[in-house]
């Protein structure tokens, strides 16, 4: 009794699915899905050679410091970095005094309570503070930015596919909308207030091109601040903010693999030794 | 347990004798995973995965308990405490990545363990209870993994919770009240996050309990083996310790090497970038996908695109998805071929390798892809085969198939493999004989 019932259930599901497949195939052939503008004009991130690429790559501290400078002078006006503390900058080569100075001179102040009056006030950040947010809340952020909230950048390179290359490609990818696109998709003209960028998933984003000209930032280490260089540096810096323990992870991994390779070799030898007289 | 020739525990050290007389714990361990458990001598590497699944559960419990010391299940801070673990907790990154990738490895070894059972007929008499308890473990694992994925409170956590609890919303009349009851609200929020954390902490210990039953049920008939023929005598078995503890030790090393490669060098490879964006009820991700180990079932869910009279397609998809797992509970009675091992079943073998395996792989691929053509059509074909395989083809094969001749015993099969005439070892002793030293 059980088996015929189960066979009947199986036949029902199978026929239902085959019917759905047939109907889907007919409509797929009779009305092929229309090509979308995103499908045709969205580009995968560019190839970039970062020092941390590959399984054993390391961060380039000089590059991280340059990237931090780009964040400080360009990005931080709109984008928060809420999971990173000033003290973390010691990991990219600043000493304690420098970190203290960076925190103290930060343009945005840390919200606090006035110890004398108990009223809301602000104070200079200290190394233990997280980077202060440029806007008090999302409403203020949206109001100041044409209704688009600038996302937090702490995890940006892990929150996108191929994040480091994505950030670099997006920052260097601003361009006028191709004539070919407008010819093929006349309705897809970039709306006013948005900017065309083929590396952005829906091709139009609210952020205006942030890195516009060579020399926008003056590097102290003598590197030529081209737009391409600045984009690479900020992408590297944001890779560090998203994965600050990357180097610890890789060196621990190497040690773990060496240990496990030896241990597994010994385990294999023990296994062969114990079984040597037993046909199996 | 199991066989009359199983060694009995005899304590050697006085302290063990003292303990054994008062609490026979050493006796239990000796009989369960020690020299007191005779195991077929011809097990291949596919028999490593049960032990590895146990190790994976231990990794999850230990890393999870440490994470629980630093995590806070509150929608306002959950995402932030996860980042706190990654940045400020000593080796927090290692523990969290081990836990996230440990879940994937748990599923990898359990899927291989299930594969082994399916191919070698380990679900058949007299091991039906082992199979059924294993499926209970599998269901508990799925519930635990789903709830664990919600805890970091990223975008995929939030929207995954919404979609999966929404499946219950497809049930007519009572569906929406059930969904609200499960979530403790109309959408995932603090109530849902807190109960998921509570249950995510509880279920692994339930799993550990069912594993004890699973192993207990296994020890009654003893392990199956690649030939599928019953153990006939002492010459067919070796004691679990040291033979299989040594082999499992090697398997464990290989497992840990692969685990370390992922954990230390590509820890986010199996994850989804959207889960590094904090949960936002106002912004729906472009493609909501569950973790990879749910993809085959997710593909079955989405394969139903047509209403069946008054039954909406969504409800059909939900029923089919649950049915795709529940039907495995009937497997011992669907496949009533007397031959266990797929190696001696020519017809079964063809449908297994050229039907079931590609179909499950296609379902897995389509489940992770966006719900567009051609993925939907592919998953419809593969789902159709999946149901047909278990519910129609397997019972039919058992009826039509002419199995290959089985070896008379495990020892005979082993000797035939080695082209040996007799079963003496280098000391001229037969297995099972105790060397006179």
């Amino acid at each position: 009794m059980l088996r015929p019932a189960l066979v009947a259930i199986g036949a029902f599901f199978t026929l239902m699915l085959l019917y759905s497949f047939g109907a889907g195939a007919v409509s797929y052939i009779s009305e092929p899905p229309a090509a979308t503008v995103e499908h045709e004009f969205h580009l995968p991130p560019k190839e970039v050679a970062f020092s941390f690429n590959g399984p054993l790559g390391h961060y380039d501290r000089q590059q991280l410091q340059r990237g931090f400078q780009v964040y400080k002078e360009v990005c931080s006006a709109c984008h928060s970095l809420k999971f990173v503390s000033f003290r973390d900058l010691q990991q990219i080569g600043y000493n304690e005094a420098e970190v203290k100075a960076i925190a103290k001179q930060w343009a945005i102040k840390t919200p606090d309570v006035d110890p004398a009056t108990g009223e809301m006030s602000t104070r200079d950040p200290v190394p233990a503070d997280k980077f202060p947010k440029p806007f008090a809340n999302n409403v203020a952020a949206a109001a100041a930015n044409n209704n688009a909230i600038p996302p937090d950048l702490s995890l940006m390179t892990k929150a996108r596919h191929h994040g480091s290359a994505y950030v670099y490609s997006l920052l260097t990818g601003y361009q006028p909308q191709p004539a070919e696109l407008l010819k093929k998709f006349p309705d897809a003209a970039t709306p006013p207030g948005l900017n065309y960028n083929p590396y952005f998933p829906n091709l139009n984003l609210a952020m205006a091109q942030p890195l516009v000209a060579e020399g926008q930032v003056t590097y102290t280490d003598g590197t030529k601040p081209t737009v391409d260089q600045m984009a690479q540096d900020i992408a590297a810096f944001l890779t560090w903010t998203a994965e600050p323990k990357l180097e610890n992870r890789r060196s621990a991994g190497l040690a773990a693999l060496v240990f496990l390779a030896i241990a597994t070799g010994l385990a294999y030898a023990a296994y062969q030794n114990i079984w040597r007289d037993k046909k199996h | 347990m199991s066989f009359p020739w199983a060694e009995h525990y005899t304590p050697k050290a006085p302290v063990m004798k003292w303990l054994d007389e008062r609490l026979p714990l050493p006796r239990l361990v000796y009989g369960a995973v020690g020299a007191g458990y005779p195991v077929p001598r011809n097990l291949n590497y596919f028999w490593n995965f049960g032990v590895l699944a146990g190790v994976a559960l231990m990794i999850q419990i230990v890393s999870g308990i440490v994470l629980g010391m630093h995590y806070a299940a509150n929608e306002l801070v959950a995402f932030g405490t996860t980042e706190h673990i990654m940045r400020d907790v000593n080796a927090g990154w290692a523990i969290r990545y081990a836990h996230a990738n440990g879940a994937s490895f748990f599923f990898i070894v359990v899927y291989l363990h299930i594969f082994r059972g399916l191919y070698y007929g380990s679900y058949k008499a007299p091991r039906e209870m082992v199979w059924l308890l294993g499926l209970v473990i599998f269901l508990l694992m799925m519930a635990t993994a789903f709830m664990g994925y919600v805890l970091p409170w990223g975008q995929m956590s939030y929207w995954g919770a919404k979609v999966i609890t929404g499946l219950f919303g497809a049930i007519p009349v009572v569906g929406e009240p059930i969904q609200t009851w499960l979530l403790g609200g109309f959408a995932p929020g603090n109530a849902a996050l807190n109960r998921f954390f509570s249950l995510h902490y509880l279920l692994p210990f339930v799993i550990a309990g069912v594993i004890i039953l699973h192993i207990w049920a296994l020890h009654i008939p003893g392990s199956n083996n690649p030939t599928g023929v019953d153990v006939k005598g002492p010459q067919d078995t070796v004691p679990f310790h040291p033979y299989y503890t040594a082999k499992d030790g090697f398997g464990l090393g290989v497992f840990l090497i692969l685990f370390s490669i992922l954990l230390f060098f590509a820890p986010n490879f199996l994850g989804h970038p959207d889960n590094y964006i904090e949960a936002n009820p106002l912004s729906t991700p472009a493609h909501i996908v569950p973790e990879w180990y749910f993809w085959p079932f997710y593909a079955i869910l989405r394969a139903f695109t047509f209403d069946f009279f008054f039954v909406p397609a969504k409800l059909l998809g939900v029923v089919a998805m649950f049915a795709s797992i529940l039907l495995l509970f009937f497997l011992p009675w669907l496949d009533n071929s007397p031959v266990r091992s797929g190696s001696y079943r020519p017809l079964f073998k063809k449908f297994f390798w050229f039907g079931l395996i590609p179909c499950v792989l296609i379902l897995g691929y389509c489940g992770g892809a966006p719900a567009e053509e051609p993925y939907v059509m592919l998953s419809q074909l593969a789902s159709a085969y999946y149901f047909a395989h278990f519910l129609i083809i397997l019972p039919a094969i058992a009826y039509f198939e002419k199995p290959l001749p089985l070896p008379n015993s495990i020892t005979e099969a082993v000797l035939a493999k080695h082209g040996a005439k007799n079963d003496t070892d280098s000391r001229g002793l037969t297995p099972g004989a105790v060397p006179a030293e």
Side-chain angles (χ1 to χ4, degrees), chain B residues 424-436:
Chain B
T424 50
D425 62 23
S426 59
R427 291 166 294 179
L429 293 166
T430 51
V434 183

Side-chain angles (χ1 to χ4, degrees), chain B residues 142-373:
Chain B
M142 292 175 63
T144 311
F146 158 67
M147 287 189 279
Y149 194 57
V150 175
L151 301 184
W153 210 238
Q155 274 287 69
M156 278 300 164
S157 302
Y158 179 89
W159 291 96
K162 193 156 178 159
V163 169
I164 301 299
T165 56
L167 299 180
F168 294 92
I171 302 167
V173 191
V174 293
E176 281 189 32
I178 288 180
Q179 187 186 359
T180 310
W181 177 74
L182 285 173
L183 286 174
F186 296 110
N190 216 27
L193 183 56
N194 264 298
R195 67 187 55 180
F196 282 9
F197 180 54
S198 177
L199 292 172
H200 182 72
Y201 214 122
L202 166 72
L203 289 185
F205 298 98
V206 179
I207 291 176
V210 184
I211 286 176
I212 290 174
L213 299 183
H214 185 67
I215 297 173
W216 189 7
L218 171 71
H219 279 55
I220 306 304
S223 299
N224 187 23
N225 68 86
T227 65
V229 292
D230 285 329
V231 166
K232 301 272 162 55
Q235 72 283 0
D236 288 343
T237 66
V238 291
F240 187 84
H241 179 74
Y243 286 94
Y244 285 107
T245 41
K247 191 170 180 179
D248 286 338
F250 170 59
L252 177 63
V254 175
F255 167 86
L256 289 176
I257 286 175
L258 297 175
F259 182 48
S260 298
I261 288 174
L262 203 66
L263 193 171
F264 291 108
F265 297 100
N268 294 307
F269 175 70
L270 295 170
H272 197 289
D274 277 22
N275 228 25
Y276 281 111
I277 305 171
E278 196 165 355
N280 181 355
L282 300 177
S283 148
T284 317
H287 304 295
I288 302 174
V289 285
E291 287 278 80
W292 69 266
Y293 35 79
F294 293 134
W295 285 353
F297 308 104
Y298 198 54
I300 292 175
L301 171 77
R302 295 191 301 183
F304 287 81
T305 49
F306 280 89
D307 299 349
F308 181 73
F309 297 109
F310 53 88
V311 186
K314 187 184 173 191
L315 179 59
L316 275 177
V318 172
V319 171
M321 185 182 76
F322 284 110
S324 68
I325 301 168
L326 294 181
L327 66 83
L328 296 174
F329 281 91
F330 297 96
L331 191 56
W333 299 277
L334 280 165
D335 172 14
N336 62 349
S337 164
V339 177
R340 292 195 193 100
S341 171
S343 306
Y344 299 95
R345 303 185 57 192
L347 204 51
F348 168 89
K349 205 183 337 191
K350 284 197 188 80
F351 280 99
F352 187 85
W353 285 116
F354 299 109
L356 185 65
I357 296 300
C359 137
V360 170
L361 293 178
I362 289 171
L363 283 174
Y365 180 73
C366 293
E372 296 165 0
E373 300 299 359

